[in-house]
């Protein structure tokens, strides 16, 4: 049994809880009438909203999206004359995209005093974070993170790829059925 004191939760605890929930609730449908949404996805979205509401005023939110650009060009770039280790190189570059995206999303939620549960989507070199409405200080932190990421990418892959960060503010009215897709667009 997982025994955790709520006053001493660590990031490691939160990541462990998220991992266990994902493992055991991803393939459980939310309900018999809503079988295309998993219990995990619903719980993740609910917790992200709750954390964002507690951190902010409960009425205004921000959506932060990160995107690893030029993934295909990066993964399938030329390897030289011999393709002896082609499959290993492809897997390594794909892993680099996945782990980079995950680490960047985790750094952002940590800098904004959020939790890993606020990362509502992370797949294919992109992530989406649901947050309280970003303050000027928060936006400055995002700008610094973006600059740091692109400096690191310049060292690692000579700016063969970049990382784009963008945010969009919205109010709680967009949580109504059918409205949230407007924020995503």
């Amino acid at each position: 049994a997982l025994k955790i004191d709520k006053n001493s939760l660590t990031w490691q605890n939160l990541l462990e809880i998220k991992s266990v929930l994902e493992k055991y609730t991803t393939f459980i449908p939310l309900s018999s009438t809503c079988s295309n949404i998993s219990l995990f996805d619903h719980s993740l979205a609910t917790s992200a909203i709750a954390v964002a509401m507690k951190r902010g005023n409960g009425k205004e939110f921000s959506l932060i999206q990160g995107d690893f650009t030029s993934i295909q060009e990066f993964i399938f770039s030329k390897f030289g004359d011999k393709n002896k280790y082609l499959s290993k190189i492809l897997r390594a570059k794909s892993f680099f995209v996945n782990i980079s995206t995950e680490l960047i999303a985790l750094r952002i939620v940590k800098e904004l005093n959020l939790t890993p549960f606020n990362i509502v989507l992370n797949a294919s070199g992109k992530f989406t974070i649901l947050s309280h409405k970003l303050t000027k200080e928060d936006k400055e932190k995002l700008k610094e993170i973006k600059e740091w990421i692109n400096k690191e990418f310049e060292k690692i892959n000579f700016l063969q790829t970049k990382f784009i960060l963008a945010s969009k503010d919205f109010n709680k009215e967009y949580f109504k059925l059918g409205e949230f897709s407007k924020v995503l667009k």
Side-chain angles (χ1 to χ4, degrees), residues 49-115:
I49 293 168
V51 171
M53 287 178 77
K54 184 176 181 181
R55 178 81 169 80
N57 62 14
K59 298 176 183 175
E60 298 175 302
F61 300 88
S62 289
L63 204 59
I64 304 164
Q65 289 193 314
D67 188 1
F68 194 115
T69 66
S70 308
I71 293 175
Q72 286 189 345
E73 292 173 24
F74 171 69
I75 291 176
F76 297 110
S77 62
K78 297 202 180 219
F79 302 107
D81 294 334
K82 296 184 180 181
N83 290 331
K84 184 176 179 182
Y85 301 106
L86 181 61
S87 64
K88 289 181 181 183
I89 292 169
L90 291 174
R91 282 194 305 271
K93 286 185 170 190
S94 181
F95 177 74
F96 175 79
V97 169
N98 288 334
I99 199 72
S100 297
T101 307
E102 179 75 22
L103 291 173
I104 292 165
L106 286 171
R107 177 164 179 195
I108 289 170
V109 294
K110 196 168 189 174
E111 291 281 334
L112 298 178
N113 197 24
L114 299 169
T115 70

Side-chain angles (χ1 to χ4, degrees), residues 126-141:
K126 296 181 183 191
F127 63 76
T128 303
I129 298 170
L130 180 64
S131 169
H132 57 283
K133 184 175 180 184
L134 298 176
T135 63
K136 279 187 175 182
E137 294 82 21
D138 293 335
K139 290 180 180 183
E140 189 59 37
K141 285 179 188 176

Side-chain angles (χ1 to χ4, degrees), residues 133-161:
K133 184 175 180 184
L134 298 176
T135 63
K136 279 187 175 182
E137 294 82 21
D138 293 335
K139 290 180 180 183
E140 189 59 37
K141 285 179 188 176
L142 277 182
K143 184 179 175 187
E144 289 170 11
I145 292 170
K146 181 180 177 182
E147 289 171 3
W148 172 78
I149 294 164
N150 286 321
K151 283 180 186 175
E152 291 300 314
F153 276 25
E154 184 176 7
K155 290 180 204 172
I156 294 168
N157 62 26
F158 307 104
L159 287 180
Q160 206 174 8
T161 61

Side-chain angles (χ1 to χ4, degrees), residues 158-172:
F158 307 104
L159 287 180
Q160 206 174 8
T161 61
K162 285 189 175 187
F163 208 87
I164 297 171
L165 282 176
S167 65
K168 171 83 173 148
D169 297 336
F170 64 99
N171 63 41
K172 69 179 184 176

